[in-house]
Amino acid sequence: PPSSLFTLLPSPLSSMATYTMQSVKLPPPLCDDIDRRTKQSTHLISSETLQKPKHEGGLAIMSARQANAAFLTKLGWRVITEPQKLWARVIRSKYCHGRCDLNMFQPKHGMSNVWSGICAQQEVIRAGSAVAIGNGRTTLFWDHPWLNGESLVEKVLSTIPTPMLRDSVAAMWV
């Protein structure tokens, strides 16, 4: 029956070089080559249909470029959300001087392929992120984007006194 075809078809397609894509920014020509080879395989459905969203009758299979970007975005997200992990601490100490915030994803001279890939996805990571204030002790009042996703330092119309620049949200509510 056709429903079993839709269930089994993504299985062989997912055997692409996903292991490598999870931690390395692949060059666009290589991603295109992977997609080209996938298209050359014999399928009962066109590659365009494979990549269409499910609500449009496709199977929502990402292109190699999309898959690589998704994996690197997830890796960047994990650097923020799993700061205690050894690999995250190593990356942050090498490229961010130990920082752990949404503004730490800055390209550096001589950076690794992994950091380059994560930095390429920084806007996606920021767009999907929000600061949870909690008790307010670790959220910076002026610098963190805790209010409508924007930092207050970008909105202020006058000069902020220097001693107040590093104040937390909790310090401002006292």
Side-chain angles (χ1 to χ4, degrees):
S3 62
S4 63
L5 172 66
F6 291 118
T7 303
L8 297 175
L9 190 57
S11 179
L13 293 177
S14 66
S15 65
M16 294 187 308
T18 55
Y19 180 77
T20 305
M21 284 185 187
Q22 291 180 31
S23 60
V24 175
K25 181 181 178 186
L26 297 180
L30 179 58
C31 292
D32 295 342
D33 187 47
I34 291 170
D35 288 338
R36 195 177 325 64
R37 289 175 192 264
T38 303
K39 287 179 183 179
Q40 290 172 352
S41 301
T42 305
H43 300 294
L44 298 175
I45 300 174
S46 71
S47 59
E48 290 76 26
T49 302
L50 292 174
Q51 292 183 350
K52 277 186 189 176
K54 288 183 180 180
H55 69 273
E56 292 179 14
L59 295 178
I61 295 175
M62 292 186 274
S63 69
R65 285 185 187 200
Q66 291 171 321
N68 192 214
F71 283 130
L72 293 168
T73 302
K74 182 178 179 181
L75 195 60
W77 178 249
R78 288 183 62 207
V79 170
I80 294 173
T81 60
E82 300 173 6
Q84 74 287 0
K85 301 276 184 167
L86 178 61
W87 67 270
R89 290 193 334 241
V90 169
I91 285 180
R92 285 193 343 269
S93 69
K94 182 172 183 176
Y95 297 109
C96 313
H97 305 291
R99 285 177 52 193
C100 188
D101 58 56
L102 291 173
N103 297 322
M104 71 181 176
F105 301 112
Q106 301 300 320
K108 306 284 186 202
H109 178 71
M111 64 185 158
S112 69
N113 185 290
V114 174
W115 189 250
S116 171
I118 292 171
C119 288
Q121 300 305 314
Q122 65 180 314
E123 292 305 317
V124 177
I125 296 167
R126 280 194 191 116
S129 302
V131 174
I133 296 175
N135 63 15
R137 292 186 194 133
T138 59
T139 305
L140 298 179
F141 186 81
W142 298 106
D143 288 336
H144 287 158
W146 63 274
L147 185 63
N148 297 329
E150 298 180 75
S151 63
L152 292 177
V153 74
E154 298 168 3
K155 302 292 182 187
V156 72
L157 299 176
S158 61
T159 305
I160 303 166
T162 305
M164 295 178 70
L165 283 175
R166 303 301 294 168
D167 279 349
S168 67
V169 172
M172 297 300 276
W173 293 118
V174 175

